[in-house]
Structure formats: C-alpha cells, structure tokens
C-alpha cells in the first residue's frame, strides 16, 4: 500500500482483530518502516465518540499550517467543525477541506495516516475519513486503520482489509522467551501459551498476573484486562483514584488531570510516582495508557463511587466556557441518580451538538438527559426529542427502544401523533412497507384538529411515502382518501386539494389545480417538495417546468451544500438531458451525482441511469443498473420506473413483447405520477404485438392526461400514438408539427420514425425515405442508438444505404471523464472541477491527461473549441 502511495496511487487498509492481537504494534511498525513518509495519527476514544469531529481534529492538527492555503469556504468549514468559529458545519465542505489539507501536506513527501481504535471514532469524523479514503487514489497518501473486531467494523467493510490473527505456538514461545519480564519453566510457558490463545498482549501481560485467571474469564481481551487489573493490587486508595481519573478523561491533558487531582486533595508527587510504577500509564506531556485495554481495566476496576468521584472532579476541572459539553458529560456521569439540573444542561449540549453537525452527539446527550429527568413532562418531551435525533442519526433501533418507553405514559393527541410520525418514518426506513404510510396517515388524522397545516403536510408525507412503497396495495389512494377529512388549507386550493381531486375525479378537473400548485402563488412547489414537484411536471408532460425544477435544485444544492438536493437536481438534470437528446450532459450529470453519492458512502440514484441506458439502447448497462437498484435502498418510484424504462429500452431494440410486458407491469396499478409517461411505450408495443384492445385503452388514458395537461409536447406524443392505433396519416403529421416546436429531439425523431414505418407499409417508398432519414439523423444525434438502428433497418428495407455514424466524444470517455471534460471546456479550473466532483486536483489532472489522449488533443483551449463537446453550463 505504501509503495503505491509513493507512486501517487494512494489507498487505505483496515487491520481488524480482537483487542490485544497486535494492531497497534503494526501501526507503530508501519511508521518506523516508512521513514520517507510524514506520519500523522488519530486515535478513537470510547469516551469521545459522541463529540463531533474530535477524531478528525486529531488527524488534522499537525497540518493546520496549510489551512490558509485552502479556499475560504473550506477554511471556514474546518474552523466551524473544530469549534474555532460559529456556524453550521457542512460535511461535504469539511471533507473537501480535509482532503485539501492532506493533499497539500503530501506535496513535499508522501503522507501516512495512522488511525488506531477506529471503532471508537465519532460518526462525523468517520464519515469524513471514509470520504478521504475514496478520494486519495491518485495522491501519495496511505491511510491505515486499526479496528477491533465486533465493534462497529461494518463501516470499514468497503476498505481492503487484513484480519490479524493470533501467533502460532512456535512464535508465541519466541515472544515469551525474548520479552517475558519473568523467567519461565516449560510447564508455566505452555500454560501461558494456552491461556493467551495467540494474543501477543496476553503473552506479555499474563506473566505479570502469575499466568492464572479465574475460570469464568473466557475471552482473551477479558483475560488481558484481568492481567492489567492485577497491577492495581496493593496500590493506595489515592493512586487508584488518580488512575481512575486518568482513565475517565479521554483527552490525556495533564493540566486537566492535575487540576482534578487538586480538587480531590491528592498529594501529587508520591501518588503519581506510585501510579506510574504500575506501568499502566505514563504521566508526561500527555497522559497515555499502555494500551486501551489498560484504560478499560482501570476504569472497570473502580467502584461506582470512585467513578462518580473521578467524573465529578473532572467536571470541576473542565472550563465551562471552553468545553461545556465535556463538562456536562462528566457531570452526568458523576450523578448517582436523576438530576433535573444536569438533564437540562445535557439538553443544551444537544442543541450545540446539532448546531455543529453532530446529530449522533445530539442523540447521545438527549438520551442521557432522559435518564436523568425528574419532571415527567420534561422526560416525555426529551424522550421524543431523543428519538427524533436518533432517527436523524440513522440509529432506528434506538428510536424504537425510546418510543417503547412511552407506551405506558399518558400522552396527549399531539404527542401521540409525533410518536406515530416517528414510527411511520422508522418503519419506512427499515422497509416495513405495509406499516409506514398507514402510521403516517394516522398521525396526520390525529393532527387535523390540533395543527391543521402540519396535518396537511403529514398527509403529503404519507402520499410521498406511498409513491415509493404503494405498489398494488392501494396505499396511495387510501392516504389521499383519508386526507379528505383534513381541515381546509389557509390558502385553498393547495396540493393536497389537487391530489384529492385527481384521485376522486381524474385529470380533466385536477390538471389545472396541479399546474397552479406546481408554480404556486408565492413560492413554487419544488422549493418545499422537489421530488413530488418533479414527478408532477413529468406527469403533466411539461419539460420546461421540469428543467426549471432541475436547475433550481442544482443551484440551491450547490449554494446550501445539501448533497440530497444536489443529487436529486443532478438526477433530474440527467433525465431532462435524455429527453432533449443531450447525452453528453446526461452523462456528465450522472457522473457528478455518482461522485457525490460515492463521497457520502451511499449508492448512486438509479432512476436517471435507467433512463439513460434505456434511451441509448444499452441492454447490458441497463441490466447492471437494474441489478444495483434492486440491491440498494429504494428511491421514489423505483419499481415502476424500472418497468417503464425497460419498456423504452425494448421498444428501441424492437423487442416488442418484452416492451409490452414491462409497460403492463408499470401501469397495472395506475399509480398517480408514476405511470403516465409509459403509456406511449405501451401503445407502441401493443400495436406491434397486434393487441389492439390494450393499445386503445392506453390511448384513451393518454389522451385524457395530455389534453388536460395542455402542453404541446404531450399533445404531440399523444398524436403519434393515436396515429399508431388509428392508422390515420393526419395524426402522424400533427405529431411532427407539434413536436417540432419543442426541444425533445428523441420524441420528434420517433414521430418521424413511426410515420416513416407507416408510409413504408403503405408502400409509399419515396415518401417514407425522407422521414426515415430525418429520424435516423435526429435519433443518432440524440444518442438514441436503438431507435436510430430501427430507422437504419427501415431505410435498408427501402434499398437505401445508411452511412455509419461517427462516434461521439462521450463514447470514448468514462462518465467521470465526460464530466471533467465538460467542466474544463466551460472554463473551470482544476481546483473548481475538483471541488464540484469531490475529487482532488491531482485526480482532475490525471483525468485530463486521459481525455487529451483519447480525443487527440493537447490543450484546454482545444477542449473548449471541440465541435462535438457541448459546454457544461457553469451557471447551474
């Protein structure tokens, strides 16, 4: 790994194994074995895992001299994360800032990052470090993690791993012979080897304990702790207490320890000497235990009163201005029972933690606050707040545990509604599809009389959730039907009114309301519910509004730093680009969305990639994305979207039976906002399969929707679908005329293709050639390869020769190279591209070298002037 890093191909490795197996020793060895590297370290702490960015702070402190070299936005993000400035942390900007620090430090010499006890890293630091791992592959940076098996190791599953196993008997004998502090005869040595079970630390510690452990102590780490515990035997109470205070303080700050000892009235000189003589801890510039298990052994060996005394002294010694959260935590651990004052202080800590982006820390503070609450009303409120924080942090199992404690509590309707909302969202997150929307609907009904506006929002939440999980279960219609009991909106009609009208009376009367609520009188719908607004725009065949929504999402996502908004916006941008036939833009947006998803450690969204593969006629690529989508968390409309795009794919490939089957699956439940766009595919496939009844039924539905929607695009697509069913030439001509007014090149190309096919079957060979040539040209330009091939086949059937199409630049480049090329062509610098794609500048430059080689270019100017590479719009 370090060899690759030296050559600029950085990476990471996770060492996994039980406590005492030698992971820390291997980290130390790695530092000594790579003198050419600069080494920086961080160590997770069980006692600090709730303090956001504490682990990242350790890693970055040696590099802070490079802070001034970072872009202002990154500089400020790190200062906020480390508590040096006020503000709300932006996790993505913090990740980019940390990447900037590491890459700057690695310019002069390779960098080795050693992260020990990674299982105890706070969640905010862990996410940033995993982001770094995915972004240093072209930099001279190596990251080596050591994590204890069975303690949150799942986070490191994505990394190359090395499981550290115990020593064999021969190596164990060598270690004992060379390192044992005591002379050993063969019988004792063999007993120690058996007890240690290959653990190097156990082999070194058990001789100090006489090699004997209680028979009920079975695990090796516990045996090691027992060995450390024996070193406490014979110590004075003062020395034990000093060690306990040191074990309870994760900072290792001697000033804090000496101040706490002074509060306890300890005579430091003899007490410190006695504690140090055990070898358990060093009392120098930092307080360091010889091993994390030694700290744990000391802490566990203390009585409850000793621990509370230690935490109380640390609370007194901690500056409430500099470290209020750590002080509050020590106060909480010092208490022997409920304490409303401490509970309130922990509640304030939770607010500060959320402001710093530490959702997990907020949840931990609130959960502890619940345990210390005396006031029943405050306890209920804190329990709900803790459950909401745990939901935001993703710890849904704790949400259910907290809510279970409220089952016997007396709750008013509002709190019952909050419980239902939380249970509904948790059920949805854990994919209990039959529960989530029902609980959300029940919560909305409870809120109707209490908080009408919140009730209406909750009904919409239930509808959105139903759009994801409501396949064939009627959940969507049930949610909307229940919403009819909601109190009227303050500004009627609103979106909920439009949905009720749609479910009750259909598109003719609902479409005007949908248009009105989509654009809004004061604020457009996409500002509040972007996913639902995008679906409505597509359902109304309104590409202009869809483009407006996508542009707003991208712009707001960039300005706010919201990865969710930005990913949704890029996905919608890709879909819009597919619809107008700009495959280069679709690929670039897809690559950027994938980069952000990768930076966040989540799978990329699937729906736009399915659209892209289907329009391009790439069956294998489509299957790959579909398989990934089936294994990933669902996204809105995923099931229907999969079948709808499969219908497009198979129509393009002229596999009409497969297209018809997919279209039928997509429309079988007539889910609102999810099935309208697939109706033209169903009609085309049904006509080709001689299923006139299915085509006629689908045409009736499509006509109702497009007439109600009133857009030129919708009417044009309905017109060529009508021509397929009726065989009337006027309908094809109407479709071409209407679609020529818009930007949807693939649909205009398909109108010419279908008309050309109809003309050829009418034996009007000369007439059909013109339309088939136009279709082939338009569809080839739009990247609709399957449909273009259909046009070519039709032309050859008329005796025409079809020239092979020239390859487009995006066909030679990877998706990320397309994204880099378009950004650079727009004038973006390497640093700007790196920031937008969440990669390092070195990675951008590596991509540029590949782009120049593949396209036969030598400069950025040539890239900008490339005739077949449309410039990426940097105004997004």
């Amino acid at each position: 790994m370090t060899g690759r890093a030296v050559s600029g191909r950085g990476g990471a490795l996770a060492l996994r194994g039980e406590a005492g197996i030698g992971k820390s020793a291997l980290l130390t060895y790695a530092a000594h074995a790579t003198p050419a590297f600069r080494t920086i370290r961080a160590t997770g702490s069980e006692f600090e895992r709730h303090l956001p960015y504490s682990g990242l702070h350790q890693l970055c402190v040696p590099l802070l001299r490079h802070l001034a070299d970072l872009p202002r936005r990154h500089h400020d993000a790190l200062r906020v994360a480390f508590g040096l400035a006020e503000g709300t942390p932006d996790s993505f900007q913090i990740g980019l800032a940390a990447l900037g620090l590491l890459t700057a430090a690695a310019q002069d010499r390779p960098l080795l990052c050693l992260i020990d006890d990674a299982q105890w890293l706070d969640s905010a630091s862990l996410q940033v470090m995993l982001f770094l791992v995915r972004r240093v592959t072209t930099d001279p940076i190596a990251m080596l993690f050591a994590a204890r098996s069975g303690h949150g190791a799942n986070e490191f599953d994505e990394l190359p791993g090395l499981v550290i196993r115990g020593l064999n008997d021969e190596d164990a004998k060598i270690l004992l012979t060379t390192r044992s502090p005591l002379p050993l005869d063969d019988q004792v040595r063999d007993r120690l080897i058996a007890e240690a079970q290959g653990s190097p630390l156990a082999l070194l510690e058990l001789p100090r304990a006489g090699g004997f452990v209680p028979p009920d102590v079975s695990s090796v780490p516990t045996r090691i702790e027992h060995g450390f515990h024996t070193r406490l035997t014979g110590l004075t109470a003062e020395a034990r207490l000093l060690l306990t205070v040191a074990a309870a303080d994760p900072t290792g700050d001697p000033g804090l320890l000496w101040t706490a000892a002074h509060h306890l009235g300890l005579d430091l000189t003899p007490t410190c000497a006695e504690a140090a003589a055990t070898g358990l801890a060093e009392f120098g510039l930092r307080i360091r235990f010889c091993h994390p298990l030694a700290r744990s052994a000391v802490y566990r060996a203390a009585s409850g009163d000793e621990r509370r005394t230690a935490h109380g002294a640390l609370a007194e010694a901690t500056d409430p201005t500099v470290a209020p959260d750590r002080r509050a935590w020590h106060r909480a651990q010092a208490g022997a029972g409920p304490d409303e004052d401490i509970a309130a202080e922990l509640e304030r800590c939770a607010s500060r933690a959320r402001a710093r982006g530490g959702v997990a820390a907020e949840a931990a503070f609130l959960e502890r606050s619940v345990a210390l609450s005396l006031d029943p009303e405050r306890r209920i409120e804190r329990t709900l707040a803790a459950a909401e924080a745990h939901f935001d942090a993703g710890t849904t199992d704790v949400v259910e545990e907290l809510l279970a404690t409220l089952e016997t509590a007396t709750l008013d309707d509002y709190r019952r509604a909050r419980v239902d909302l939380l249970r509904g969202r948790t059920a949805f997150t854990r994919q209990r599809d039959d529960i989530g929307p029902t609980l959300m609907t029940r919560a909305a009904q409870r809120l109707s009389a209490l908080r009408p506006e919140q009730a209406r929002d909750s009904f919409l939440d239930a509808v959105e959730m139903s759009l994801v999980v409501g396949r064939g279960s009627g959940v969507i219609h049930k949610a909307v039907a229940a919403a009819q009991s909601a109190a009227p909106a303050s500004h009627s009609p609103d979106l909920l009114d439009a949905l009720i009208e749609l479910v009750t009376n259909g598109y003719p009367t609902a479409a005007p309301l949908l248009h009105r609520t989509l654009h809004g009188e004061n604020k457009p719908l996409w500002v509040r519910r972007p996913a639902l607004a995008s679906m409505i725009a597509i359902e109304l065949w309104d590409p202009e509004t869809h483009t407006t929504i996508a542009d707003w999402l991208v712009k707001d996502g960039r300005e706010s730093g919201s990865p969710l908004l930005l990913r949704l916006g890029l996905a919608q941008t890709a879909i819009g680009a597919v619809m107008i036939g700009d495959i280069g833009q679709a690929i670039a947006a897809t690559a950027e969305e994938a980069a952000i998803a990768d930076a966040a450690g989540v799978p990329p969204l699937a729906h736009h990639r399915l659209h892209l593969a289907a329009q391009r006629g790439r069956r294998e690529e489509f299957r790959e994305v579909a398989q990934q989508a089936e294994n990933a968390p669902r996204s809105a409309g995923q099931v229907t979207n999969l079948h709808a795009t499969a219908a497009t794919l198979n129509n393009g490939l002229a596999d009409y039976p497969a297209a018809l089957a997919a279209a039928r699956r997509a429309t079988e439940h007539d889910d609102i906002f999810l099935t309208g766009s697939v109706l033209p595919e169903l009609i085309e496939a049904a006509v080709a399969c001689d299923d006139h009844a299915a085509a006629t039924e689908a045409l009736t539905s499509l006509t109702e929707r497009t007439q109600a929607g009133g857009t030129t695009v919708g009417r044009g697509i309905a017109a060529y679908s009508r021509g397929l069913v009726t065989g009337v030439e006027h309908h094809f001509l109407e479709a071409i005329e209407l679609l020529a007014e818009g930007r949807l090149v693939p649909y205009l190309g398909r109108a010419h293709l279908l008309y050309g096919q109809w003309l050829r079957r009418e034996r009007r060979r000369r007439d059909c050639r013109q339309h088939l040539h136009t279709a082939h040209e338009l569809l080839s330009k739009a990247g609709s390869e399957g449909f273009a091939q259909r046009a070519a086949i039709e032309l050859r059937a008329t005796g025409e020769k079809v020239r092979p199409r020239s390859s487009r630049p995006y066909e030679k480049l990877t998706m990320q190279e397309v994204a880099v090329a378009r950004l650079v062509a727009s004038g973006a610098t390497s640093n700007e591209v790196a920031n937008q794609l969440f990669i390092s500048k070195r990675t951008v430059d590596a991509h540029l070298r590949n782009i120049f080689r593949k396209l036969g270019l030598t400069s950025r100017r040539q890239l900008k002037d490339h005739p077949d590479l449309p410039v990426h719009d940097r105004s997004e």
Side-chain angles (χ1 to χ4, degrees):
M1 180 184 69
T2 53
R4 294 200 314 273
V6 169
S7 63
R9 294 179 292 120
L13 180 69
L15 307 179
R16 299 181 181 87
E18 65 179 17
I21 206 66
K23 303 183 298 298
S24 298
L26 286 172
L27 294 187
T28 301
Y29 173 79
H32 290 313
T34 53
F37 280 70
R38 179 181 183 181
T39 301
I40 57 175
R41 296 174 179 267
T43 301
S45 168
E46 183 176 1
F47 302 100
E48 282 203 325
R49 67 188 188 278
H50 299 309
L51 299 180
Y53 300 110
S54 57
L56 182 67
H57 184 262
Q58 293 180 57
L59 196 69
C60 291
V61 160
L63 311 179
L64 289 182
R65 66 185 179 88
H66 297 287
L67 197 59
D69 300 330
L70 299 181
R72 184 72 186 180
R73 188 172 184 178
H74 298 169
H75 174 278
D76 292 345
L78 269 190
R79 284 178 53 80
V80 170
F82 297 158
L84 303 175
E86 295 295 324
T88 301
D90 180 331
S91 61
F92 278 84
Q93 295 304 320
I94 291 167
L96 287 171
L99 180 63
L101 284 183
L102 265 62
T103 54
Q107 286 182 353
D108 299 329
R109 55 191 292 203
L111 188 65
L112 177 62
C113 306
L114 302 178
I115 301 95
D116 203 357
D117 274 332
Q119 74 280 354
W120 297 130
L121 286 171
D122 63 279
S123 61
S125 293
L126 178 58
Q127 292 308 311
V128 172
M129 289 186 191
L130 292 177
F131 167 85
L132 294 174
V133 165
R134 293 186 287 267
R135 290 293 175 269
V136 298
T137 53
T138 58
D139 294 280
I141 299 171
M143 303 185 72
L144 191 57
F145 295 83
R148 199 177 298 180
S149 299
H151 288 264
N154 290 343
E155 288 90 345
F156 304 101
D157 284 349
E158 67 180 81
L159 304 184
L162 179 63
V163 177
I164 310 302
R165 306 192 185 279
L167 302 176
N168 59 38
D169 287 354
E170 288 304 314
D171 289 336
K173 289 177 183 179
I174 294 172
L175 181 62
L176 277 175
T177 301
T178 57
R179 296 286 303 277
S180 175
L182 303 170
L184 303 172
D185 61 34
D186 290 347
Q187 185 175 1
V188 172
R189 183 196 62 194
D190 292 344
R191 169 71 182 276
L192 286 171
I193 291 173
E195 292 278 359
Q197 298 180 25
S199 169
L201 185 60
L203 287 166
L204 297 176
E205 289 300 322
L206 289 179
R208 295 177 181 269
F212 299 99
V213 293
D216 59 339
V217 178
S218 57
S219 73
V220 173
T222 309
R223 294 180 184 193
I224 297 171
E225 281 196 30
H226 176 78
F228 287 131
H229 186 276
T230 61
R231 299 197 200 182
L232 300 172
T233 304
L235 288 183
T236 62
E238 290 79 6
R240 287 175 62 100
L241 184 56
L242 182 66
L243 283 168
T244 301
V245 175
D249 169 37
T251 68
D253 179 0
L256 187 62
L257 178 61
W258 306 146
T259 304
H262 175 74
H263 282 296
L264 294 170
L266 299 180
D267 187 349
L268 279 178
T269 301
T271 303
C272 185
E274 183 183 3
T278 64
L280 291 168
E282 295 178 6
F283 297 87
L285 293 177
R286 306 294 296 173
I287 310 301
R288 301 182 189 279
F289 279 82
C290 65
H291 193 275
L293 286 177
R295 178 193 293 274
S296 177
V298 169
Y299 192 79
R300 294 176 193 276
S303 67
D305 285 341
E306 288 173 328
R307 293 179 199 170
R308 286 189 287 272
T309 299
H311 283 291
L314 287 167
E316 290 293 326
T318 302
D319 189 325
T321 303
V322 175
D325 297 344
R326 187 173 286 117
R327 179 178 181 273
W329 195 257
H330 282 308
R331 285 193 69 199
Q333 300 304 112
D339 186 313
E340 190 60 34
D341 180 54
I342 297 176
E345 188 174 351
L346 288 170
E347 200 170 10
R348 291 190 291 273
C349 291
S351 297
R352 286 193 294 270
R354 175 171 280 273
R356 288 187 57 203
V359 181
E362 178 197 20
F365 281 126
L366 285 171
E367 188 176 351
R368 182 62 178 157
S369 176
V370 170
L372 297 179
S373 296
L374 275 171
D375 183 283
E377 287 297 303
R378 295 302 307 155
R379 182 184 179 89
I380 290 172
E381 193 60 34
R382 287 166 182 155
T383 300
L384 286 168
E388 289 164 351
H390 272 292
F391 178 82
D392 291 340
T395 45
T396 53
D397 52 339
V398 183
V399 175
E400 294 185 336
E401 291 175 11
L402 286 165
L403 295 180
T405 67
L406 297 178
E407 290 179 356
T408 58
T410 302
L411 304 181
D412 58 26
D413 283 344
Y414 177 60
R415 285 173 171 167
R416 284 288 175 200
R418 288 173 68 187
V419 170
D420 283 340
L421 286 172
L422 274 169
R423 283 186 167 146
R425 290 169 180 153
T426 300
F428 172 69
T429 301
R430 304 185 84 169
Q431 300 197 15
R432 297 170 183 167
D433 292 351
D434 57 334
I435 300 175
T438 300
L439 287 171
M440 295 290 288
T441 301
R442 188 170 74 185
Q445 289 173 314
R446 289 184 189 275
L447 290 168
S448 291
L450 303 169
R451 304 195 178 193
E453 291 300 322
Q454 186 178 350
R456 297 183 75 82
D457 273 342
S458 297
F459 276 121
L460 289 174
D461 289 340
V463 170
E464 285 191 305
M465 189 181 294
S466 301
L467 289 170
V468 178
V469 305
R471 298 300 160 270
S473 61
V475 177
I476 299 172
H477 292 276
K478 288 178 183 177
V480 175
Q484 296 184 54
S485 63
S490 56
H491 300 286
S492 290
D494 64 358
L495 177 58
L496 193 59
D497 293 322
L499 294 179
I500 292 171
E501 183 66 28
L502 177 60
V503 169
T504 305
N505 298 314
Y507 281 88
T509 56
L513 295 180
L514 288 171
H515 275 295
R516 192 182 312 168
T517 56
L518 184 60
H519 294 278
E521 294 182 5
N522 302 315
K523 187 183 295 184
L525 177 63
W526 52 85
V527 174
R528 292 170 285 116
R529 294 186 178 273
L532 193 52
S534 300
M535 297 168 78
I536 292 173
I538 291 175
E539 182 73 3
L540 292 174
W541 293 97
D542 187 350
E544 287 77 17
T545 298
H546 181 265
T547 299
T548 300
I549 295 170
D551 290 347
W552 178 87
L553 284 167
V554 171
K555 182 175 183 292
D556 195 66
R558 295 204 199 286
E559 291 176 351
S560 67
S562 167
L564 183 60
L565 274 184
L566 184 52
R567 291 178 64 207
L568 180 60
L570 290 166
Q572 295 305 320
T573 296
I575 290 174
V578 167
M579 292 175 69
I580 65 174
D582 188 347
I583 297 300
Q585 185 185 18
I587 290 174
T590 298
E592 187 175 351
E593 190 278 325
I596 298 169
D598 183 56
V602 297
L605 297 173
H607 53 288
H608 62 291
R609 293 190 297 148
L610 290 169
H611 275 276
L612 179 58
Q615 193 66 39
R616 299 180 74 188
R618 303 292 182 88
R619 189 185 294 279
E620 289 306 314
E621 182 180 322
F622 184 91
R623 285 174 177 168
E624 181 180 344
V625 176
Q627 183 63 45
Q628 292 171 357
E630 289 177 0
N631 297 331
R634 9 159 232 247
S635 59
Q638 180 169 289
V639 176
T640 294
N641 186 70
L642 176 61
H643 296 317
T645 49
T648 302
L649 171 74
N650 287 300
N651 271 334
L653 298 176
D655 186 352
Y656 300 113
L660 181 58
R664 278 176 165 155
R665 285 194 293 271
T667 59
E668 61 183 334
H669 304 303
D670 196 25
D671 290 323
I672 59 174
F673 305 146
L674 296 176
T675 59
S677 61
V678 77
L679 290 173
E681 307 297 343
L682 192 155
I683 293 166
E684 184 171 348
V687 169
C689 294
D690 292 324
D691 191 340
H692 190 76
T696 301
E697 182 182 358
L699 177 62
T700 300
S701 179
L702 178 65
T703 301
E704 178 185 85
R705 294 164 189 257
T706 55
Q707 285 182 347
T711 66
T712 301
V713 168
R715 289 162 49 218
I717 291 171
Y720 74 60
S721 298
R722 192 173 303 108
L724 283 171
V725 174
T726 64
V728 174
E729 184 174 9
H730 167 71
H731 297 315
F732 291 113
L733 293 170
E734 180 188 6
I736 291 171
E737 180 181 356
L738 289 170
L739 291 171
E741 296 178 18
R743 300 172 59 211
L744 272 62
V745 176
Y747 288 95
L748 176 59
R750 288 178 69 175
H752 281 286
L753 171 61
L754 294 172
Y755 183 36
Q757 286 179 324
W758 182 85
L759 288 170
R760 191 175 76 81
R761 283 154 183 72
E762 292 292 312
R763 303 183 184 280
R764 293 164 58 180
R765 180 169 296 189
R766 179 177 300 176
D767 293 338
C768 79
R769 285 173 177 166
Q770 175 188 349
H771 290 281
L772 291 174
H773 273 298
T774 301
H776 186 259
E777 180 180 350
L778 291 173
L779 293 167
S780 296
K781 180 181 178 182
S784 302
E785 299 163 18
F787 291 103
Q789 182 61 24
R790 275 179 49 186
I793 292 172
E794 291 285 340
L795 279 169
R796 292 190 187 101
T798 69
E800 289 281 285
K801 291 183 178 181
V802 181
R803 291 179 298 174
R805 63 180 183 84
S806 58
S807 62
R808 305 293 294 276
Y810 55 73
E811 294 174 359
K812 301 176 182 178
L813 307 178
T814 66
M815 278 198 173
Q816 194 163 71
E817 287 169 354
V818 170
V820 170
R822 288 174 68 94
L823 285 167
V824 171
S826 73
T829 65
S830 291
N831 281 329
E832 289 171 335
V833 176
N835 187 25
Q836 189 154 320
L837 297 181
F838 298 93
I839 53 181
S840 71
K841 176 181 178 296
R842 189 182 178 109
T843 301
V844 173
D845 293 338
H847 282 317
L848 274 175
R849 288 192 294 272
N850 288 333
I851 292 165
F852 290 160
R853 176 178 53 81
K854 291 178 180 179
L855 298 184
L857 307 177
T858 58
S859 70
R860 290 172 179 251
R861 168 58 63 183
Q862 289 178 317
L863 191 62
K864 184 175 182 179
D865 295 338
H866 198 290
D868 294 322
L869 189 68
V871 173
H872 185 85
D873 183 5
R874 294 181 65 205
S875 66
E876 288 178 346

